[in-house]
Amino acid sequence: MPSYKGHSIFAFLLACMFFNNPLSIALTFIGANIPDFDHKFKTENVYKMIILGLIVFFSLYILKLPYFLGMIIVFLGVTFYFSEHRSFTHSLFGVLTLTSAVGLILIWALELIIAVTPFNNQYQILGILIALVSFLFLNRKLLMIFLPLFFLSLFIFPNGNFSYLEIVLALFLGIFSHVVLDSFTPAGIKIFAPISSKKVYRNFGLSAIFLLVVLAIVIHAPVLFSVFENYIYTCLIQFA
């Protein structure tokens, strides 16, 4: 069974293949640790998530602000509570559900902060939100590594561009990477749970990794072609 270290390293490598933004890389890293919240030994954290969602809901409701943020946090906690380990949260439907829920939490929180505070630097606000979310989904050992490196990356790259679509894609890549890695275990994964209990194994994982590598190459093809073109041009000048 892959450990949280294996999932985190695998997600980081995938993130570097697709993104050059520290926010997106961090979201992919965090996303890889989200599906395992269906573990029974994390039930206490799930309770805290539900309580947090209720506090946010009632606080925003009293302040007459959009309270959907609290509702989606509660929904996320309830999803983990009722999901058996390596069932719904480790399926394609689970990947889409978790991606949508966490993505909406980040986007709605970002929009709310911009609407009610004088802060308007979306890049920095999202960085703070990602740091807060990391406390929900990363264990203490990972936090000790993640937070210093994340804030260092924000110091090196204090400003940058991102889109809501990139937030969703980064989360999807991280969560999906967890499912892919778990398919290499003897127990496999129920890829279509809860509709079907059919399991997939190593072949699914290898196929998924192959497709991700091909997709990364296709996305970066213009850059790779430009580098190759400059290399050929430099060689021609040297031998001219």
Side-chain angles (χ1 to χ4, degrees), residues 147-217:
L147 288 177
L149 292 178
F150 179 57
F151 284 121
L152 177 62
S153 69
L154 293 182
F155 177 78
I156 297 174
F157 303 99
N159 294 291
N161 297 319
F162 71 91
S163 65
Y164 290 164
L165 177 60
E166 189 170 336
I167 292 175
V168 174
L169 290 177
L171 284 169
F172 177 85
L173 181 63
I175 297 171
F176 183 66
S177 74
H178 185 109
V179 174
V180 170
L181 209 58
D182 274 357
S183 69
F184 286 91
T185 62
I189 54 169
K190 299 176 182 178
I191 194 65
F192 296 114
I195 295 177
S196 172
S197 59
K198 179 182 179 181
K199 291 186 175 182
V200 294
Y201 299 91
R202 181 185 180 88
N203 288 339
F204 169 81
L206 290 172
S207 299
I209 292 175
F210 174 77
L211 290 175
L212 288 172
V213 171
V214 171
L215 182 60
I217 293 174

Side-chain angles (χ1 to χ4, degrees), residues 1-5 7-8 29-50 76-83 85 89-90 134-142 178 182:
M1 177 180 178
S3 66
Y4 67 89
K5 296 179 182 178
H7 285 298
S8 300
F29 184 89
I30 294 172
N33 291 274
I34 292 177
D36 271 349
F37 252 65
D38 58 7
H39 269 295
K40 291 188 180 299
F41 67 80
K42 292 188 177 179
T43 302
E44 183 179 347
N45 291 329
V46 172
Y47 287 146
K48 292 178 181 178
M49 189 181 299
I50 295 174
L76 186 62
V78 171
T79 299
F80 287 122
Y81 181 81
F82 285 104
S83 178
H85 182 48
T89 61
H90 287 62
S134 70
F135 281 96
L136 276 178
F137 296 113
L138 301 183
N139 62 36
R140 293 179 182 178
K141 292 181 180 180
L142 277 180
H178 185 109
D182 274 357

